[in-house]
Amino acid sequence: MARDPSLGEVLCRYTFDEGIGVKTLALDRGKIVYSPAYVMGATRDELVEMLKGIAGRAA
C-alpha cells in the first residue's frame, strides 16, 4: 500500500479468509481467499502484484 495508496482503499472493502483448495490468492464474493503456504513463501513484490491483480478485477 505504500507504493500504491489506491490499492489499500480497494482491498479494505474485502475480508481475508483461508481458502480450501486455493493455490495462491483469489476473489470470492466479497472475500479474498488465500493459501497460507503461498503467502508465507511469497516475496513482498509477488504479494503486491497478486493483490493489484485482484483489486483491478474488483474495481
Side-chain angles (χ1 to χ4, degrees):
M1 290 185 282
R3 293 183 224 164
D4 189 352
S6 62
L7 178 61
E9 181 182 333
V10 172
L11 293 176
C12 284
R13 299 177 194 163
Y14 299 96
T15 59
F16 287 76
D17 288 322
E18 184 176 333
I20 298 171
V22 175
K23 293 183 180 182
T24 55
L25 301 165
L27 186 60
D28 181 26
R29 290 186 234 123
K31 291 190 280 186
I32 295 175
V33 292
Y34 62 92
S35 163
Y38 173 75
V39 171
M40 296 305 292
T43 67
R44 181 179 180 182
D45 289 338
E46 289 170 331
L47 290 174
V48 167
E49 290 306 312
M50 290 292 289
L51 290 169
K52 283 172 74 174
I54 288 172
R57 284 180 274 162

